[in-house]
């Protein structure tokens, strides 16, 4: 019963967050100072088909209907998945352009973030357990140094060294041009080869954050009486470490995993740009270069919804990890 | 300590550095020239001096980072601490606001905002202030709540001190170290995000900053032409500055967290006596005879 | 008392414990000796900072950083004869703790693992000490019954239980392997008075029934006098007095600090008129007074007896004793 209540309250929260994102998205072009919307609009006039211009007009709030009516029309459109036509890919609708990009982003970033979280968390457990040990003394500063580089810059460097100079990895796109997408081993292998380097760059940069936060929460838990008691009970150090310490220390980390997801995702978008990886980040670059505002806004919404969905998955994971979300008193 | 020195060096470089290098946008040599005596860091794809660009870029990027850091932490503190002291209903509303801003991915929002607004470093700063405060607010709210529930603060509230008085006299002093740490973290965030936004092309590409340096490096096909010197120096500077700040933060953390120091002293003391805490964490035994007389003089 | 002649289940000898600080080691427990017999309830009292909790944790070798044991013995008598807990191999220590000597720590909420059911936390202890699997479920049921909890409590998570129930669970866990000695470090600080009383009575009853010795550490002196047989009073890291409850009730405390403590608490049987606080501040371990550590606060302190410059020796009579220069002098 209270599992459902927990999930319902989380869903309610995501609905509010989604609503806020939608509203920001709607008002963005309408609140601009000095009416640059008209200026931008003017630039496109004569270069685009009339339908595309109409879409832009709607996106910029230059339509004639009163504001609140525009707002409800907009909400109705978004709820049916209609983000209008893309300017740069006209007449393709924004939703179609985004669809495939989102898939690639989820693949790349999902893979990288999950691997990074697992490795970083495990390293954090060991570092805290052997506090002041070799791992604990060397790894955090090294990873702090690596994590100090911007995501995309490290991606550039890795692409330059391993892609261009050494030629170990493919340098662009999500798969080789000559392969048709299919569930074959060749294609999957090809996709993984293309994802490896960008994923690796994201993993390396984000590892330190997970390690440090797990280390700190583990150290806090290790100071608890429950750990002293578990030791006195005669449990083996390994059991104390995993079943009593790590099992509890991971709970706040899983919660912040959801929160940090948006941040890591933001960085990964730029990594996509560096690698020409056809995800939402690369689309964002295209949209900026061609001033395709409807596409930009659609991407923002799609990414937001994806992050909200991922957070909901984290909530479900929490139900399994923390009995306090499962059973109230 | 290293962190403080390094950060100080960056501040000096930002203030005085531009006086010693030439115009970062002037055409000074053949494009994509590798590092040489005339151009230590080589030239860009536009034939501009990379060293001059890196140095001049430091000024805007650092200023912007510090500015955004101050605002983001102040807003975070305002919202977070207000939530902690506002009573249940106010707290629920503010906490909802914080969580909504946390869960909406900041960089995509910042990109879209910056794309619509006029291009300038100040736009970037404003956008980052708008999208970046929530994390600080969350942490400060939690901390302020912990302080609020301590006896002496509860006593001050009972004694009829106003909320503002409690905030100013009892809560803020307790948060000083945390605020400092957050400020440092916020600078790192701001510089990284600024560079990212400019790299993807929503900044003013005619202004020389670390972000636009990297934008132009990518735009001029630095990787294809193998001219690594157009992007490596700027990246190393960003990393060095972030690293200096991270190190500074470790230092602040130690000041704020005496337990860290206690643990270190304990471990060192044990090491000099050839003792250590085993994996079962049993209390170590160090017989008194091992020590010199000065230590045992105390009764 | 009938316990006089038997070997104690635990004998602490000259235990010295330091905390390592920036300025060097700080002596927190300074040469304490204490015997506990089977079935005996020993109360350990003293102001906060007197070293009583440190003593308990050190005697379990469970004192965390920055604590370090500097000397002494913790002699346990069990099936293998008398063994010193401070000189055991890690493997032996792991065996002995909980099966011979167990502990109930201060906060029952903090002591329990929030993500495991009560049953699993008890079974973890059984498994660690080689209890065969077939015995697990019956033993958990027995334990729930011994601490007067409904059997389904075993399948609850700690957060589903009230403070009193949690403390009962912690006690059940502590006696799961039928230890000979149970340390109880302020087990009732977080509980209300009624629950506190129930818990202490439960422990006294269990001790009588199962025959284990108990060291009960508490601030609550009157309650301690109600349930315990013997009382040990600590001051400034040293043992000040060891007396039977009967003697103390009869006003026979020999250390001025014991008398002071007694006067500072309202008696359980009315008579609140004579409440008196002990003057002065608790002893500073950084710069402890010379001689008897209590002398700056003691009305009977007298230079000619050596109170100001000589550490008072432990004067043992039978099992009891006192560390006061003027204990044998008339008032």
């Amino acid at each position: 019963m209270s599992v459902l209540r927990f999930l319902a309250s989380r869903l309610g929260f995501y609905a509010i967050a989604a609503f806020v994102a939608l509203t920001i998205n709607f008002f963005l072009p309408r609140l601009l100072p000095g009416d640059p919307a008209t200026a931008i609009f003017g630039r496109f006039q004569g270069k685009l088909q009339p339908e595309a211009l109409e879409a832009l007009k709607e996106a910029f709030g230059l339509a004639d209907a009163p504001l609140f009516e525009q707002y409800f029309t907009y909400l109705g459109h978004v709820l049916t998945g209609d983000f209008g036509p893309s300017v740069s890919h006209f007449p393709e609708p924004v939703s179609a352009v985004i669809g495939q990009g989102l898939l690639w982003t989820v693949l790349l970033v999902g893979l990288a973030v999950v691997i990074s979280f697992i490795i970083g968390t495990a390293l954090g457990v060991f570092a805290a357990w052997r506090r002041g040990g070799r791992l604990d003394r060397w790894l955090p500063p090294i990873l702090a140094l690596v994590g100090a580089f911007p995501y995309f810059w490290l991606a550039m460097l890795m692409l330059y060294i391993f892609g261009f100079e050494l030629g170990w990895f493919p340098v662009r796109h999500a798969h080789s041009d000559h392969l048709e997408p299919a569930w074959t081993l060749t294609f999957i292998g090809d996709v993984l080869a293309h994802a490896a380097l960008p994923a690796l760059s994201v993993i390396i940069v984000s590892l330190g954050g997970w390690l440090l936060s797990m280390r700190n929460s583990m150290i806090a838990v290790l100071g608890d009486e429950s750990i002293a008691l578990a030791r006195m009970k005669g449990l083996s150090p390994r059991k104390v470490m995993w079943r009593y310490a790590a099992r509890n220390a991971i709970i706040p980390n899983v919660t912040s995993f959801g929160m940090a997801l948006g941040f890591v995702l933001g960085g990964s978008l730029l990594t996509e740009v560096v690698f020409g990886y056809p995800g939402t980040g690369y689309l964002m670059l295209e949209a900026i270069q061609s001033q395709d505002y409807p596409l930009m806004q659609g991407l923002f919404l799609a990414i937001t919804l994806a992050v909200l969905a991922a957070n909901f998955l984290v909530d479900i994971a929490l139900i399994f990890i923390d009995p306090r979300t499962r059973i109230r008193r | 300590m290293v962190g403080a020195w390094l950060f100080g060096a960056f501040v000096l470089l930002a203030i005085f550095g531009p006086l010693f290098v030439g115009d970062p946008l002037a055409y000074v040599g053949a494009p994509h020239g590798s590092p040489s005596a005339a151009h230590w860091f080589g030239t860009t794809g536009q034939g501009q001096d990379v060293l001059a660009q890196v140095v001049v870029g430091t000024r805007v990027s650092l200023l912007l980072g510090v500015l955004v850091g101050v605002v983001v932490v102040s807003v975070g503190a305002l919202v977070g601490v207000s939530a902690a002291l506002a009573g249940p209903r106010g707290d629920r509303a503010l906490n909802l606001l914080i969580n909504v801003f946390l869960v909406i991915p900041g960089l995509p929002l910042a990109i879209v905002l910056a794309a619509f607004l006029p291009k300038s470093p100040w736009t970037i700063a404003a956008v980052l202030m708008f999208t970046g405060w929530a994390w600080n607010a969350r942490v400060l709210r939690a901390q302020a709540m912990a302080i609020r529930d301590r006896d002496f603060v509860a006593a001050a509230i009972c004694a009829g001190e106003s909320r503002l008085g409690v905030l100013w006299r009892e809560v803020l002093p307790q948060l000083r170290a945390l605020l400092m740490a957050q400020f440092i973290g916020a600078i790192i965030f701001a510089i990284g995000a600024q560079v990212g936004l400019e790299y993807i092309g929503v900044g003013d590409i005619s202004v020389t900053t670390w972000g636009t340096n990297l934008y132009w490096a990518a735009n001029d096909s630095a990787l294809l032409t193998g001219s690594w010197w157009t992007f490596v120096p700027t990246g190393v500077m960003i990393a060095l500055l972030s690293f200096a700040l991270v190190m500074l933060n470790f230092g602040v953390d130690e000041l704020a967290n005496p337990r860290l120091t206690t643990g270190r002293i304990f471990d060192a003391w044990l090491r000099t006596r050839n003792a250590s805490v085993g994996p079962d964490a049993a209390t170590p035994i160090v017989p008194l005879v091992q020590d010199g007389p000065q230590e045992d003089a105390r009764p | 008392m009938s316990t006089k002649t038997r070997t104690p289940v635990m004998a602490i000898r000259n235990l010295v414990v330091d905390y390592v600080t920036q300025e060097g080691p700080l002596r927190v427990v300074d040469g304490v000796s204490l015997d506990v017999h089977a079935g005996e309830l020993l109360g350990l009292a003293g102001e906060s900072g007197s070293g009583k909790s440190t003593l308990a944790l050190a005697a379990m070798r469970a004192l965390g950083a920055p604590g370090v044991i500097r000397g002494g013995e913790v002699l346990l008598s069990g099936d293998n004869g008398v063994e010193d807990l401070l000189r055991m191999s890690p493997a032996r220590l792991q065996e002995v703790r909980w099966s011979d000597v167990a502990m109930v720590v201060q906060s029952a909420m903090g002591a329990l693992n929030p993500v495991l059911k009560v049953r699993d936390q008890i079974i973890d202890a059984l498994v660690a000490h080689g209890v065969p699997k077939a015995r697990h479920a019956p033993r958990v049921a027995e334990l729930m019954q011994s601490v007067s909890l409904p059997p389904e409590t075993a399948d609850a998570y700690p957060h589903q239980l009230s403070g009193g129930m949690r403390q009962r669970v912690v006690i059940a866990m502590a006696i799961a392997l039928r230890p000979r000695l149970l340390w109880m470090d302020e087990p009732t600080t977080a509980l209300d008075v009624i629950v506190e009383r129930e818990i202490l009575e439960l422990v006294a009853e269990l001790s009588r029934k199962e025959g284990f010795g108990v060291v009960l550490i508490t601030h609550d002196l009157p309650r301690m006098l109600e349930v315990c047989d013997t009382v040990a009073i600590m001051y400034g890291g040293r043992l000040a007095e060891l007396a039977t409850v009967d003697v103390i009730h009869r006003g026979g405390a020999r250390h001025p600090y014991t008398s002071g403590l007694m006067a500072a608490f309202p008696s359980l049987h009315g008579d609140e008129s004579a409440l008196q606080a002990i003057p002065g501040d608790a002893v500073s371990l950084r710069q402890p007074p010379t001689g008897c550590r209590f002398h700056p606060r003691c009305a009977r302190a007298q230079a000619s007896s050596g109170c100001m410059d000589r550490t008072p020796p432990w004067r043992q009579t039978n099992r009891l004793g006192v560390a006061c220069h003027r204990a044998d002098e008339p008032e």
Side-chain angles (χ1 to χ4, degrees):
Chain A
M1 231 0 249
S2 69
V3 173
L4 288 182
R5 201 179 316 148
F6 170 72
L7 288 181
S9 86
R10 295 307 293 165
L11 274 178
F13 166 67
Y14 297 131
I16 294 174
F19 178 73
V20 171
L22 284 176
T23 307
I24 291 177
N25 207 19
F26 172 78
F27 281 105
L28 255 180
R30 289 170 175 83
L31 287 181
L32 295 178
D35 200 14
T38 321
I40 296 169
F41 184 70
R43 232 180 295 157
F44 280 110
Q45 218 141 18
K47 294 184 198 160
L48 289 174
Q49 279 103 325
E51 292 95 323
L53 278 179
E54 209 49 49
L56 263 183
K57 214 170 181 178
E58 197 179 301
F60 286 158
L62 298 175
D64 305 322
L67 197 63
F68 79 96
E69 206 182 303
Q70 289 180 36
Y71 183 57
F72 285 110
T73 319
Y74 159 82
L75 280 186
H77 282 167
V78 170
L79 288 179
T80 52
D82 175 13
F83 297 102
S86 156
V87 175
S88 56
H89 292 69
F90 196 82
E92 238 187 302
V94 165
S95 51
V97 179
I98 292 174
Q100 211 175 16
L102 198 60
L103 209 67
W104 286 119
T105 297
V106 168
L107 174 80
L108 174 69
V109 179
L111 200 72
V113 166
V114 169
I115 292 177
S116 161
F117 180 74
I118 292 173
I119 298 178
T121 303
L123 287 174
V125 171
F126 287 114
W129 186 254
R130 288 275 168 102
R131 202 157 160 211
R134 213 167 292 163
L135 189 73
D136 191 32
R137 259 178 300 151
W138 290 104
L139 218 46
I142 289 175
L143 287 177
L145 183 63
V146 174
F149 289 99
Y151 275 58
F152 68 92
W153 185 85
L154 209 73
M156 278 169 96
L157 192 71
M158 287 174 69
L159 179 61
Y160 176 69
I161 296 174
F162 299 112
F164 284 97
E165 290 297 306
L166 297 172
W168 292 354
F169 293 95
V171 294
R172 276 189 87 76
H173 299 310
H175 59 84
S176 306
D177 294 337
H178 62 271
L179 288 176
E180 279 298 309
W183 287 110
T184 61
L185 276 181
T186 340
F187 183 72
I188 294 173
D190 188 60
V191 165
L192 288 180
H194 279 78
L197 203 53
L200 198 64
S201 77
V202 174
I203 291 171
I204 289 179
V205 185
S206 54
L207 201 58
W210 303 129
L211 183 149
L212 273 185
S213 70
M214 184 61 182
R215 174 183 175 272
N216 291 346
S217 101
M218 182 85 178
I219 284 174
V221 172
L222 283 175
D224 280 357
E225 278 196 314
S226 63
I227 299 300
L229 192 77
R231 284 180 163 132
M232 280 193 275
K233 279 201 295 196
L235 305 192
S236 65
R238 252 188 54 202
K239 210 163 183 179
V240 176
M241 175 170 163
W242 293 108
R243 193 168 155 92
Y244 282 74
R247 187 76 175 62
N248 279 296
I250 202 170
I251 292 172
N253 267 39
V254 171
T255 312
S256 48
F257 176 78
M259 294 294 179
L261 210 58
F263 187 76
V264 177
L265 187 100
S268 315
L269 296 183
L270 298 173
T271 306
E272 287 181 5
V273 170
V274 171
F275 284 94
Y277 201 85
T280 45
Y282 192 69
L283 285 175
M284 190 66 104
L285 177 76
E286 281 186 357
I288 292 166
Q289 284 172 346
S290 56
Q291 294 184 310
D292 187 346
Y293 289 92
L295 180 57
M296 247 183 265
Q297 289 183 282
L299 281 167
F300 163 62
L301 277 188
I303 293 169
T304 303
L305 292 180
V307 168
L308 295 184
N311 264 280
F312 190 59
L313 289 181
V314 169
D315 290 333
I316 292 174
L318 265 181
I319 292 175
F320 289 98
I321 295 173
D322 188 356
R324 283 162 291 191
T325 55
R326 199 157 58 218
I327 308 154
R328 297 283 151 86
R329 274 174 74 158
Chain B
M1 247 358 243
V2 182
W5 283 112
L6 208 51
F7 184 67
F10 270 101
V11 172
L12 289 180
L13 185 69
I15 297 173
F16 301 110
L19 303 176
F20 296 98
V21 294
D23 179 1
L25 297 180
Y27 182 91
V28 292
H32 290 306
S34 53
S36 64
H39 305 289
W40 293 353
F41 287 0
T43 57
T44 68
Q46 319 275 326
Q48 297 148 337
D49 185 43
V50 175
L51 177 65
Q53 292 202 338
V54 170
V55 171
V56 173
T58 308
R59 185 179 270 188
V60 180
S61 291
L62 187 62
L63 178 66
L64 200 134
V66 172
L67 196 71
V68 173
V70 170
V71 173
V72 157
V73 173
S74 308
V75 173
L78 191 73
V79 178
V81 177
S82 310
L85 296 179
R89 202 173 301 166
D91 178 48
R92 214 171 310 146
L94 286 175
N95 194 30
L96 181 67
L97 183 75
I98 294 171
N99 282 332
V100 164
F101 264 84
L102 258 180
V103 85
I104 294 178
L107 197 77
L109 176 58
I111 290 174
V112 178
L113 277 171
F116 272 107
L117 293 166
K119 288 184 186 223
S120 111
W122 308 116
T123 301
I124 305 266
V127 162
L128 291 179
M129 288 168 191
F130 179 71
T131 56
W133 56 271
W135 181 255
N136 300 288
R138 178 187 161 94
V139 175
L140 287 164
R141 170 177 169 272
Q143 196 63 27
M145 282 179 125
I147 294 169
R148 179 196 67 188
D149 294 339
R150 275 187 219 152
D151 290 348
F152 68 98
V153 180
I157 294 173
C158 284
E161 246 191 275
S162 69
R163 285 220 170 116
L164 213 64
V166 171
L167 173 73
W168 195 247
R169 267 189 294 279
E170 317 286 351
V171 178
L172 275 184
Q174 302 279 320
L175 289 176
R176 219 177 299 152
L178 183 63
L179 284 171
M180 191 64 213
Q182 293 230 311
F183 173 55
I184 292 171
I187 300 178
I188 299 176
F189 151 79
I191 290 176
Q194 175 223 352
V195 170
L197 288 180
E198 288 178 340
Y199 171 73
I200 205 171
V202 291
D204 180 354
I205 49 179
S206 65
V207 178
T208 303
T209 70
W210 286 345
T212 52
N213 288 353
L214 294 177
Y215 170 84
W216 283 112
N219 213 44
D220 298 337
S221 318
L223 297 183
L224 271 177
T225 57
S227 39
W228 52 268
W229 54 87
T230 56
F231 68 93
V232 167
T234 297
V236 170
M237 289 294 268
I238 298 167
L240 267 182
L241 176 58
S242 303
F243 186 66
L245 290 166
V246 169
M247 284 294 141
L248 207 58
N249 225 350
F250 279 159
V252 171
D253 208 30
E254 211 132 293
L255 287 180
N257 239 336
R259 261 179 77 184
L260 292 176
T261 328
T262 313
R264 176 111 29 86
I265 291 167
F266 184 60
D267 291 342
W269 188 89
L270 284 179
R271 244 194 320 278
T272 57
R273 283 153 186 84
N274 289 322
S276 63
V277 179
D280 64 345
T283 314
I285 300 175
V286 179
L288 279 167
V289 282
Q290 278 189 11
D291 285 323
Q294 82 284 357
E295 186 173 293
D296 293 330
R298 185 173 288 155
Chain C
M1 299 218 44
S2 61
T3 49
K4 248 176 259 176
T5 47
R6 280 188 280 132
T7 334
V9 282
M10 181 184 67
I12 297 175
R13 290 285 167 265
N14 257 317
L15 188 65
V16 180
V17 183
D18 284 356
Y19 283 154
V20 177
T21 68
Q22 205 145 18
E23 292 81 30
L26 198 65
R27 184 106 343 130
V28 189
V29 173
D30 193 7
V32 171
S33 300
L34 202 62
D35 288 1
V36 192
H37 293 261
E40 179 187 22
L41 261 93
L42 174 79
L44 186 57
E47 295 166 324
S48 40
S50 62
K52 50 193 194 315
S53 288
T54 306
L55 174 75
L57 288 167
M60 283 293 274
R61 283 201 74 185
L63 182 65
V68 57
I69 297 169
R70 306 306 304 273
E73 296 169 331
V74 178
L75 303 169
L76 289 178
S77 53
D79 298 332
N80 296 9
V82 176
E83 284 176 284
D84 184 355
L85 192 135
L86 302 186
R87 276 160 193 80
M88 278 174 188
S89 68
R92 181 68 187 141
L93 182 69
Q94 199 178 342
E95 269 169 42
V96 163
R97 285 203 293 199
W98 228 250
S99 63
D100 283 353
V101 48
M103 188 175 215
V104 172
V105 291
Q106 278 190 17
S107 112
M109 188 70 229
L112 294 170
N113 184 343
V115 298
L116 294 183
K117 286 181 180 168
V118 166
R119 174 187 303 283
D120 296 326
Q121 302 194 45
I122 295 176
I123 290 178
D124 275 347
L126 299 179
V127 170
H129 293 274
V131 175
K133 195 164 184 210
R135 286 286 303 135
H136 293 174
R139 183 63 182 145
V140 170
E142 270 168 40
L143 286 166
M144 290 300 115
Q145 199 182 5
S146 340
V147 296
S148 313
L149 284 174
E152 60 270 20
T153 316
D155 291 307
Y157 286 96
H159 72 273
Q160 294 171 276
L161 305 175
S162 70
M165 288 168 98
R166 269 180 229 144
Q167 196 54 273
R168 282 167 195 268
V169 165
V170 173
I171 292 170
M173 194 150 57
I175 61 171
L177 291 146
R178 300 199 170 81
R180 293 159 208 270
L181 184 87
L182 187 61
W183 284 99
M184 301 193 76
D185 186 5
E186 311 209 21
T188 54
T189 31
L191 305 177
D192 66 63
V193 193
I194 296 164
V195 180
E196 176 190 12
R197 190 195 188 105
E198 283 173 8
I199 297 273
L200 292 183
E201 275 166 7
L202 170 75
V203 171
E205 186 199 314
L206 284 169
S207 156
R208 263 195 301 280
K209 215 160 47 186
E210 307 212 357
F212 55 81
V214 177
V215 185
L216 174 67
I217 300 172
T218 172
H219 280 110
D220 189 346
L221 202 62
R223 189 74 68 205
M224 180 184 282
L225 292 175
E226 220 179 337
V227 293
C228 292
D229 308 312
T230 324
V231 175
I233 309 287
M234 282 185 76
Y235 187 82
R238 293 176 185 164
L239 203 56
E241 180 161 14
L242 183 67
T244 63
V245 169
D246 293 344
V247 168
I248 290 189
H249 272 313
R250 274 189 270 114
R254 296 170 73 200
H255 200 291
Y257 178 61
T258 315
S259 323
L261 269 186
M262 290 300 299
F265 281 96
S267 145
L268 284 179
H269 317 288
D271 187 24
E272 295 185 16
S273 54
L275 270 192
Q276 279 175 5
I278 303 175
D281 296 325
V283 62
S284 148
L285 292 173
R286 214 161 275 289
Q287 278 171 321
T290 54
C292 171
R293 291 193 171 166
F294 188 59
H295 87 254
R297 302 169 70 184
C298 182
R300 300 193 66 202
Q302 189 174 293
S304 60
S305 303
C307 295
M308 280 67 171
D309 42 32
R310 279 187 295 120
T311 302
W314 182 250
R315 299 162 190 226
Q316 180 107 13
T317 26
N318 293 329
R319 270 202 59 223
L320 309 177
V322 67
C324 174
H325 288 295
R326 306 203 59 204
D328 295 330
E329 297 170 27
E331 298 254 349

